[in-house]
Amino acid sequence: MPPMEQQKLSGRPLVGQAISRLEGYEKVTGAARYSGEFNVKDLLYGYVINSTITKGKIISIDTSKAEAIPGVITVFHHGNRPSLAWFSMQYADMDAPPGTPFRPLQNGEVKYNGQPIALLVADSFETARYAATLVKVVYTTEEFQTDLIGNMAKARAPKGGLATFLKPPPPKPFGDFEKAFEAAPFKATGKFIHGTEHHNPMELFTTTTVYNGKGKLTIYDKTQGTVNCQLYVANVFGLHFKDVRVISPYVGGAFGSGLRPQHQLFFSVMAALELKRNVRVTLDRHQMFTFGHRPPTVQFTRFGATVDGKVTALNHEAIAETSRFEDYTEVVVNWAHMLYPAQNTLFKYNLVPLDVFSPLDMRAPGGSTGLHAIESTMDELAYQLKIDPLELRLINYAERDESTDRPYSSKELRKCYLQGAEQFGWNKRSPEPRSMRNGHKLVGYGMATGIWEAMQLPARAAASITTEGKLKVNSAVTDIGTGTLTVMSQIAADEMGLPLEDVSFTYGDSKMAFAPIQGGSFTISSVGSAVKAACNALKKKILKKAKTMDNSPFKSHKIDEVVFADRKMISIANPSVFISYSDIIAANDHKVIKSVNFAMPKALKLKKYSRAAHSASFVEVEVDEELGTINVTRAVTAVAAGKIINPKTAKSQILGGMVWSISKALREETISDHRFGKYMNMNIAEYHIPVHADIHDLDVIFVEEQDDIVNELGTKGVGEIGLAAMPSAIANAIYHATGKRINQFPIHFDQLL
Amino acid sequence: MHTYESGLKEEMQHQSELSMTINGVPKSRTVKPWVSLLDYLREYLDLTGTKKGCDHGQCGACTVICDGKRILSCLTLAVMKEGSEITTIEGIAKDGELHPLQQAFIDHDAFQCGYCTPGQICSAIGMIAEGKAKTRSEVKELMSGNLCRCGANTNIIDAIMDVQKGAGNE
Amino acid sequence: MQDALAKINISQKHRAVAGGTNLIDLMKYFITDAAELVDVNTIPQHHAIEELPDGGLRLGALTTNAETAYHPLVESRYPLLSKAILAGASAQIRNMATNGGNLMQRTRCYYFYDVNTPCNKRTPGSGCAAIGGYNRTMAIMGTSEHCIAVFPSDMCVALAALNAVVNIEGPDGDRQLPFADFHRLPGDTPHLDNNLKDGELISSIDLPAEGFPQHYSYLKLRDRNSYAFALVSVATAFELCDTGISKARIALGGVAHRPWRVTEAEVFLNGKDPVRVNFEAAADIILQGAVPFEHNAFKIELAKRAIVRNCMMALDPDTQLPGAQPSH
């Protein structure tokens, strides 16, 4: 349909408008119920018991004292668990890396500290938590290794596997890196150390399983994939997938932690099936440190450049932690050559298996790690060359993706650089480190580039015109706080020419149309495309129905000769010819008209292009010269991410990424004690995420970027890109302020003394 | 090594009658003494708007207003609040009309996942009533007991500053 | 009151709970146990803030931290105390936590909180995992081979600087302890945080008349700008006269098992000019004998700089920022 015509008839489109979140009322009044808040009748409470050793075997579990406590129902452990699926593949969820997934209660083997080894079920939360302390476990212990730094020599290449199609291996080498680097007149190198991080969404991981009898379950779960959890439960417990319904109406943050089914789901379902009762299992905050995490990673960079700043040699290598049972990987070293067109490159990515749980994607996985190394090495190179860091990026601007020898489907990074710099006032930067100050504070400016791949996965959506002539759309997708409900409603409303109040988008239920896990910034492109496809199919059905009506004026109309606007289908040739949706429904014997459709990435077309969102961050820090304390006083992030469906919710995604950047660069860290093979700050008093007092002026720019290739919506996703550039920009600003280059995150202020 | 052992087992049978006023409505029921105010609200009264984010006074998600003051409901036992007047997020809107702060949170997109939101709102209402924060940096400091993992911090403070100005506190 | 005392005295398994902000936290982690909690909040005479005949001020043990910090007499006469209280915890916790409870709070040592690691404070005789472990947050002064834990209070750092006195009621009658004698060093009894005896309760805290309302500052350095425990904090108060400093008080937090004061440094400053070089010399006196561990050596240099900076800040309290942060 001609877009001009559509716009003329339907007025201002909703897509592109800063609409407030549609679930806002529920969230500000406390009416929104999260997975642990369905207080069904006769609920039992499970409390997970964790191993207190890191590696070894359970010799015995004595539950007698615990079971003597009034209110305790039972204790499940490997010795008395029901029989479960035997093949490890049946535990493999949509996001499982190559290897053997962890199987709770499989046997008495302990593979990592804090491993769930038993579940105590009682009639109240307090009784369960207390009685769990009375369970006595005897172990034999074995030697373990949890320290990446001490075990780097054991690094090896990751295994290949199905799950890696979203995570390609490092690009092949070009030219002769060593020779080119040797010959380069200007060089910058770095060693970058990142520790473990845990997602720590505000909501605790909780599953409430409602036992409906005859092996049928309704499960309220905290997850980023209702279908993923549905299939996992069906496979592990030998149930028909239609008997398993997973519902996640609200998800209190996830950031990747809900990409895989977590063990509270397993335990809640197991107990419900065995006891034929409703069971809730909630992990408490310290137990939120007993599953996936962002892996510690050590990176090495060597960049070489000509006297006029052209980068000629790029080397980026990373060594990351994984578990003994799965090869979790991230895309860490693939970005440099996508950003900078050097002729000589060398990239390596290796893993060290350790006695920890498998790492798990955490917001901007790999990207936020790798770009720190790349962009701080570029910053160092700029100082070596005495070229402005922004100018150095422009000198090395990649018009196409040299790493794969493909053009970009669109790339407005240059606009990000220029508009970001303008808004920030980058031209006020004096080039020398320690050359700007404000009272007791040294002032520093830093900038960096961000990139994140624009992905699309197959997804379905169902759309129907109701008997009232309104639109209903559904998808199994979750809304983890990203604004999914709002943006899907906007897309659907525009497609059908309806005001928002006539559209209801329902989601977060495995019973609904299939959606992949919600992550990687691909939800808008995957599910949004499916919503569009379902609406388009619905339009065809409406036209088809209209044609069957007596004396239908639409008999000769093709689909591109009508528009759908103002609650009607209208003839473009003669806008006085129209039929309202309610009249169509009346003609359809007052039955709903429905369509369920798939949207697939157009693989053949897409293969010819690299697709990525880009960003540039500009940061001002103030460092107290005497005490080292650091404040990010101002930051601007300019983003090119294709079409922005909702500037309000999209801006919040970027702001969130910017706060995460401050957290990553300056705050959060999981502290390990490798003598015990365990984490020591498993709480959010000492796992420091930023408080309000840490966050100052943050600004977001979305630059215009039109992309007709990436998908039908022209969207690239905004969940990760806000965390791509800014951590490095903070480190670079600290260097500019202090002359100290600290390549280890988080930067502790005392390192600046 | 860390057991209550003796005394506790018989204590576990012990329940006491607890009365308090919650969102203007007198509520009375028996409860065991070790139930936190937070769990009492969520699990016993089905007032799940008050959130559990850490259960240890580290996040502020469980903030409620008790006798006019913002407190953490996870760090007090329900029985210690006998006779108290508690306002939870469910009691902030009056007759379906949102409190200005609730509306400001929507307008400023001051939440994403929404899980810290009830605590942020109750805390901000408590803070405005205390009247100790005038400037933006004072508001940030006195709201720092409420963590937000989504990173809605700037929007949250914007929303509060808007309402605070309206209340003549600026 | 006598009821409460009698009950608490039955057994060590009975514990007094006031604000609950630390005790209930610890009980949920099964670090502290109690067969029965005695809610002492109903003792009315412990709630008051009242003026004393000698010009001092009595702070009820059950008065909350927030009521104390915002009390007009505290704000006007003891602004150092007000600042220190407001640098601790969060507004919600300060609304609950009591003055007595603040003195009684336990360390935030990671190993104390993890019941599956050795800790002499939690389980006497089990060893100290912090000494050879991750000890970035731990003590540099007054440690022993049994414990290097830090006392986490901010309020108490100011109380130490102000020469407060702790009033105690107990089965053997009432007594008073000067603030410096209330908290203990770990020695070979790290499980004892303070010198309160079984069955005793804090009833109030007395502040002497001298409150240093002109020249004071509290500086807190930590891993985020608010709602975090101190790595190093400093309470400083001066009385100045024409000839320089006539009286000085400096107490440190975050560096020892109790608020840390070295009176020699204060005596040194008497009669000296309020200038950086003298503050540096005072800092050196205070930090003499500091012993670092693997990850906390920075605390010595940080403490020195913090003392100097806070002395400078104390000269001009108007420039101080919310949250006891370094001034601009």
Side-chain angles (χ1 to χ4, degrees), chain A residues 594-643:
Chain A
K594 186 176 177 183
S595 184
V596 184
N597 289 79
F598 234 111
M600 293 270 288
K602 296 191 170 43
L604 284 176
K605 179 174 161 196
L606 293 177
K607 223 173 68 177
K608 296 180 197 141
Y609 298 91
S610 282
R611 289 103 48 206
H614 290 85
S615 68
S617 284
F618 298 84
V619 168
E620 177 189 87
V621 297
E622 287 188 1
V623 178
D624 190 282
E625 188 174 17
E626 185 172 32
L627 301 170
T629 51
I630 307 161
N631 273 288
V632 174
T633 41
R634 282 191 308 127
V636 175
T637 295
V639 177
K643 180 79 187 166

Side-chain angles (χ1 to χ4, degrees), chain A residues 291-538:
Chain A
F291 54 86
H293 52 272
R294 195 194 296 277
T297 305
V298 179
Q299 303 173 73
F300 302 91
T301 54
R302 289 182 292 162
F303 291 5
T306 64
V307 286
D308 52 1
K310 278 274 181 202
V311 175
T312 53
L314 287 173
N315 169 221
H316 188 187
E317 302 186 9
I319 296 174
E321 170 214 77
T322 191
S323 68
R324 300 272 187 204
F325 40 96
E326 287 173 316
D327 268 16
Y328 170 84
T329 61
E330 292 181 330
V331 178
V332 177
V333 300
N334 303 20
W335 310 102
H337 205 208
M338 292 179 78
L339 286 172
Y340 304 116
Q343 300 303 307
N344 305 281
T345 65
L346 180 62
F347 302 111
K348 287 184 189 163
Y349 180 78
N350 285 310
L351 296 177
V352 178
L354 294 168
D355 297 299
V356 295
F357 194 71
S358 299
L360 175 61
D361 283 346
M362 179 165 161
R363 200 167 196 177
S368 60
T369 308
L371 285 158
H372 168 215
I374 295 162
E375 288 299 288
S376 287
T377 308
M378 284 297 281
D379 194 63
E380 181 59 31
L381 199 55
Y383 284 95
Q384 302 279 335
L385 286 155
K386 298 196 189 313
I387 292 177
D388 181 286
L390 174 58
E391 181 61 26
L392 184 65
R393 268 61 169 204
L394 293 170
I395 290 170
N396 290 285
Y397 194 84
E399 298 294 349
R400 52 191 279 116
D401 175 5
E402 296 292 342
S403 73
T404 55
D405 195 27
R406 294 183 298 208
Y408 281 103
S409 62
S410 62
K411 180 180 174 182
E412 299 291 0
L413 175 59
R414 196 185 303 274
K415 278 193 212 160
C416 295
Y417 285 140
L418 300 179
Q419 291 180 27
E422 168 76 23
Q423 173 133 343
F424 179 81
W426 182 255
N427 60 2
K428 295 189 191 77
R429 172 180 178 273
S430 85
E432 286 300 308
R434 299 184 71 89
S435 61
M436 295 167 71
R437 58 168 60 239
N438 173 19
H440 287 289
K441 319 284 198 230
L442 297 165
V443 177
Y445 286 6
M447 60 84 55
T449 315
I451 180 169
W452 186 256
E453 277 209 82
M455 293 174 276
Q456 183 187 356
L457 297 184
R460 288 167 80 87
S464 57
I465 296 289
T466 68
T467 50
E468 292 81 37
K470 298 192 175 182
L471 177 67
K472 272 185 158 173
V473 184
N474 79 56
S475 162
V477 70
T478 48
D479 184 343
I480 53 176
T482 45
T484 310
L485 162 64
T486 311
V487 295
M488 295 305 160
S489 303
Q490 287 173 265
I491 292 167
D494 272 8
E495 284 302 321
M496 299 307 297
L498 288 168
L500 266 183
E501 60 266 26
D502 280 11
V503 178
S504 84
F505 179 75
T506 49
Y507 61 97
D509 186 339
S510 64
K511 204 174 74 172
M512 295 173 180
F514 169 86
I517 46 180
Q518 181 175 34
S521 296
F522 51 66
T523 298
I524 187 75
S525 303
S526 309
V527 179
S529 296
V531 167
K532 193 174 164 101
C535 290
N536 278 327
L538 195 58

Side-chain angles (χ1 to χ4, degrees), chain A residues 202-221:
Chain A
M202 293 310 297
E203 183 195 14
L204 300 169
F205 265 79
T206 306
T207 306
T208 307
T209 300
V210 181
Y211 184 77
N212 300 326
K214 293 184 186 164
K216 290 190 200 302
L217 304 175
T218 303
I219 302 166
Y220 298 96
D221 189 34

